[in-house]
């Protein structure tokens, strides 16, 4: 039995839900400083979770074959991303390093960053986010290998619960030659450890 699609609440219902949370927290949603807060929060949520309206596979659909037989690692590193923990709905902020070894075609580098955004702008856990990015690049581009490494701070850990600021979580997903060939994996790690040219020229 197939599930029916989720019925999305109206903007008015979403704003009413924010007013309910404000009252639950002990606030008065009708006071001057909070009158426009429900609308602001809903607009923020539209931006925070716009990834639900993106198709990551479609983002990668336009590729280029005229690369003069380039067959070395393509690495886009330090892609800042912002996500939200699905358990507490608080921010996860970090950087992604995305690499692949082309088979026959390459994709514009901005598309790799957009795939990171499409998946991160949803309610997430970091492990799944890492796998989704890597699996999609692997499925669409069909390269010799894909590597995705995420480093992030989780505010569900730093601002509540155990209150451990400064802690970062690192996850990785290695597919194809990055999983099976230790020399290729070491080459990737060496590239990640080099000083950033972009930072040096700021």
């Amino acid at each position: 039995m197939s599930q029916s699609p989720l019925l999305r609440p109206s903007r008015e219902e979403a704003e009413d839900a924010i007013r309910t949370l404000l009252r639950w927290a002990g606030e008065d949603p009708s006071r001057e400083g909070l009158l426009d807060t429900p609308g602001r929060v809903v607009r923020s949520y539209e931006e925070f979770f716009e990834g639900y309206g993106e198709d990551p596979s479609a983002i990668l659909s336009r590729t280029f074959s005229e690369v003069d037989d380039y067959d070395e690692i393509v690495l886009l590193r330090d892609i800042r991303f912002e996500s939200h923990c699905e358990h507490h709905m608080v921010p996860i902020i970090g950087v992604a390093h995305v690499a692949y070894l082309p088979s026959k075609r390459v994709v514009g580098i901005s598309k790799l960053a957009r795939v990171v955004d499409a998946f991160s702008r949803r309610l997430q856990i970091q492990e799944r986010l890492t796998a989704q990015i890597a699996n999609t690049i692997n499925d669409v581009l069909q390269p010799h290998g894909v590597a995705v490494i995420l480093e992030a701070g989780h505010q569900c850990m730093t601002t509540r619960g155990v209150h451990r600021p400064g802690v970062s979580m690192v996850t990785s997903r290695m597919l194809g030659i990055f999983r099976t060939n230790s020399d290729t994996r070491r080459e990737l790690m060496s590239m990640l450890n080099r000083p950033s040219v972009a930072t040096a020229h700021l």
Side-chain angles (χ1 to χ4, degrees), residues 22-153:
L22 288 170
R23 286 194 297 271
W24 180 85
E27 265 291 359
D28 176 10
S30 65
R31 73 174 175 85
E32 183 179 8
L34 293 175
L35 282 176
D36 295 327
T37 296
R40 292 190 184 104
V41 172
V42 169
R43 289 192 295 275
S44 295
Y45 269 40
E46 288 177 332
E47 185 175 343
F48 293 158
F49 303 120
E50 65 185 2
Y52 288 111
E54 294 271 4
D55 180 352
S57 295
I59 291 171
L60 296 171
S61 62
R62 184 181 180 188
T63 59
F64 307 94
S65 59
E66 296 179 0
V67 293
D68 290 336
D69 297 322
Y70 182 85
D71 60 356
E72 300 294 337
I73 295 172
V74 176
L75 168 64
L76 194 62
R77 64 190 226 185
D78 298 325
I79 308 166
R80 178 183 165 90
F81 71 88
E82 299 163 2
S83 191
H84 283 78
C85 163
E86 69 179 29
H87 300 138
H88 302 96
M89 295 181 70
V90 295
I92 301 169
I93 299 174
V95 293
H97 313 294
V98 177
Y100 70 102
L101 195 65
S103 174
K104 296 179 180 178
R105 306 182 69 84
V106 298
V107 69
I109 58 173
S110 67
K111 303 301 191 297
L112 297 176
R114 285 185 59 198
V115 169
V116 173
D117 284 345
F119 282 121
S120 64
R121 291 177 181 173
R122 307 177 183 192
L123 291 173
Q124 282 288 9
I125 63 171
Q126 187 172 326
E127 297 90 338
R128 182 176 64 227
L129 175 59
T130 308
Q132 287 175 330
I133 295 168
N135 292 345
T136 300
I137 295 170
N138 192 57
D139 291 345
V140 177
L141 299 185
Q142 298 185 339
H144 294 300
V146 178
V148 174
I149 301 171
L150 302 188
E151 305 174 54

